[in-house]
Amino acid sequence: MRILLLIHGFNSLSQRIFVELKAAGYDVSIEFDINDALTREAVDLFQPDVILAPYLKRAIPDDLWQNHLCLILHPGITGDRGPAALDWAILRGDEHWGVTVLQAEAEMDAGPIWATREFSMRGTTKSSLYRREVADAGLAAIFEALEKLENGTKPTALNYDDPGVKGELRPSVTQKERTIDWAADTTETILAKVRASDGVPGVKEGDYFLYDAHLASGLTGAVGEIIATSGPAVCRATLDGAVWIGHMRSREGQHRFKLPATMLLAPEVPEVPLDSEGGYREISYREVGDVGYLRFNFYNGAMSTPQINRLLSAYRKACKQPTKIIVLEGGDDFWSNGIHLNIIESASSAADESWLNINTMDNLSEEIIRTRSHLTVAAMGANAGAGGVFLARACDYVWLINTIIMNPHYKDMGNLYGSEFWTYLLPRYCGAENSARIAEQRLPMGAVEAVELGLADAAFSDNRTDFDRETALRAAALATGFSQLVGAKNQRRDADEAIKPLTQYRTEELKKMRRNFFGFDPSYHVARYNFVHKVCKSRTPVTLAKHRDRRKMERKAS
Ligand code: COA
């Protein structure tokens, strides 16, 4: 069956749908919803059996849904309609929510229903719910809808008289509903408002938009005032406590993108140490038996120079402990997305900051690869992209949650060459043929393919709780065979070093990166600018829109 994914952006939800539909044997192509003429052209070229829209910002043109089966993945329970389904669910504090696969018709979100799924809400951001609960439930519903389509089962018409239909038509959420009333809102309400607005659009306040809110335990002060800072975050007192605001976006000026709040405001207030018990926490370490767990929960998985330096110090400290295994856990929503493109964009010299950032990243990768005292594990319970994927492969073992999406490529960032020792790690773990395939294809990858190609060693568990539990069991098991395993690893490293020293890989990679940053071709700087400023794509890349790749389509037809 041919499925055309019609999407506004190739975000993690649509990436996961793309990966899983392809793995299930469907013929999938992608078209960005740029304008109606291009969409019609894509349909003509690909001749899909189904048009599937998992993430759209506007209605599908009438002639398309009238002539083709168009399925919409709506992030709301049965009967829910409107453009801000999840935002409302978070704002209301719903304990359960759901997704619905419905057929596009004249009235938005009111077409016949093909499948639904419900899930328990987590006290987290809208984007985090999208990446986990909505993606898990959405995929289950999509597969059910496709199965019904294949066996001829008809969808059910939406009927508000049915007592099972609990949803309703809701308008979009405006800044009026999002705005914080510091004098009246409780901490819980403030957290809900920022979480419902995280990703896009943020909570408007004065000259800024607010993001990344967390409970600040044990702090109090004059309501609405900034009473402390901690690393990137400022602490604002509420009626019944306080909240950390980690990131903000300026509405004016040159840098209208998300940055650490303390880069935008410089209040003269006491500082609570970063990562301390009562502060804003990014890096934490704990031990269980022979296993040390290092967690680095960096906002959006982006790693700036100072963040990596702190992680490197924490890693060195972990290596000095009398443990046997170090598990690098990444964060709640991302394992790592590589160097921090927003901080780089805001620097007075983006080239210099890029250079500093990638060198620091290499310091960390190198330290992990050269570790002789411990076995290292990258436990990837959340997605990773670009340098973040190769940083993980620096570990001796890479374990993935089954639902992961990885983007092991740099080229989409203006043909960036990439570093983090990928030229050593890919051939070492994946072999020459697979390395070339991974380096060339600019597509997201799921767990099965990553393990098949050697980019990871194992994949297990469908949810984070089970993944963490299973990781702990596997790490403890590794510790029992430690002496032999660490001996073999060090021998292998010595042999590799004798063939070609790590410093040589590093020098060669960084030479190419220097050219990307300081050379005459500005592609990386342009791509980074577009990424950070969220400039909409003007066409769908041929890597995704295979219907626009003449060679592929001709090969298929012959
Ligand atoms: N630096 C700064 N911000 C980053 C980032 C990075 N390296 N990677 C992701 N982000 C931000 C995004 O801008 C987005 O911000 P938002 O909260 O304003 O929406 C957020 O993280 C989530 O990213 P998004 O692209 O929506 O997530 P995704 O899961 O759909 O896609 C990636 C993940 C990795 C494919 C995509 O974010 C990406 O291409 N990142 C750039 C990776 C890169 O090139 N790194 C530099 C080279 S090492």
Side-chain angles (χ1 to χ4, degrees), residues 94-398:
D94 287 357
E95 287 183 5
H96 300 279
W97 195 236
V99 297
T100 308
V101 173
L102 42 87
Q103 192 165 332
E105 280 195 352
E107 255 189 288
M108 208 162 170
D109 302 334
I113 292 161
W114 284 83
T116 62
R117 285 288 185 285
E118 295 208 354
F119 53 81
S120 302
M121 291 283 273
R122 236 174 343 120
T124 187
T125 63
K126 178 172 59 174
S127 354
S128 186
L129 289 165
Y130 253 103
R131 275 182 212 110
R132 288 205 222 162
E133 284 80 356
V134 172
D136 289 347
L139 265 157
I142 287 170
F143 278 115
E144 183 188 322
L146 294 175
E147 203 179 297
K148 282 184 177 161
L149 189 62
E150 276 161 334
N151 65 30
T153 311
K154 294 273 173 263
T156 318
L158 174 61
N159 175 9
Y160 281 108
D161 293 334
D162 178 345
V165 175
K166 301 265 186 331
E168 55 183 334
L169 174 63
R170 288 296 214 131
S172 59
V173 178
T174 64
Q175 283 296 338
K176 195 166 151 256
E177 286 90 18
R178 298 184 199 273
T179 301
I180 297 170
D181 181 350
W182 292 94
D185 288 345
T186 61
T187 301
E188 200 181 308
T189 305
I190 293 167
L191 289 176
K193 284 181 171 176
V194 183
R195 286 171 175 167
S197 314
D198 213 281
V200 179
V203 168
K204 191 155 92 182
E205 190 168 275
D207 295 337
Y208 300 100
F209 287 94
L210 313 181
Y211 304 89
D212 184 27
H214 303 268
L215 183 67
S217 311
L219 294 171
T220 50
V223 172
E225 296 296 313
I226 296 182
I227 54 170
T229 63
S230 181
V234 294
C235 183
R236 302 271 299 260
T238 63
L239 269 182
D240 52 351
V243 291
W244 291 113
I245 302 290
H247 285 75
M248 291 168 49
R249 175 162 64 91
S250 180
R251 295 174 59 208
E252 302 292 335
Q254 199 188 345
H255 304 317
R256 297 188 206 179
F257 46 84
K258 284 180 194 166
L259 285 170
T262 46
M263 276 182 74
L264 301 172
L265 308 173
E268 290 194 6
V269 289
E271 192 179 337
V272 184
L274 179 57
D275 302 330
S276 67
E277 197 59 53
Y280 180 89
R281 296 200 96 170
E282 288 183 331
I283 299 174
S284 57
Y285 177 78
R286 69 184 199 285
E287 274 175 23
V288 182
D290 287 325
V291 187
Y293 294 88
L294 190 53
R295 187 177 129 83
F296 39 105
N297 196 20
F298 299 131
Y299 186 63
N300 279 342
M303 295 165 76
S304 68
T305 305
Q307 284 172 315
I308 301 168
N309 277 330
R310 284 193 300 112
L311 181 55
L312 182 54
S313 301
Y315 180 76
R316 286 186 175 137
K317 209 164 149 195
C319 287
K320 294 219 166 73
Q321 305 311 310
T323 48
K324 296 189 168 98
I325 317 288
I326 297 173
V327 176
L328 297 179
E329 292 187 303
D332 287 341
D333 290 317
F334 293 100
W335 197 86
S336 165
N337 279 333
I339 57 178
H340 202 311
L341 299 169
N342 290 29
I343 298 279
I344 290 170
E345 188 63 31
S346 72
S348 55
S349 163
D352 285 330
E353 185 51 42
S354 303
W355 181 245
L356 204 59
N357 203 161
I358 197 67
N359 272 282
T360 322
M361 195 74 165
D362 279 1
N363 293 344
L364 177 60
S365 285
E366 187 166 347
E367 190 86 8
I368 297 171
I369 299 170
R370 288 195 191 279
T371 301
R372 298 182 78 85
S373 56
H374 287 72
L375 292 171
T376 54
V377 177
M380 304 180 75
N383 296 354
V389 177
F390 301 105
L391 177 69
R393 194 54 283 185
C395 292
D396 303 317
Y397 303 89
V398 179

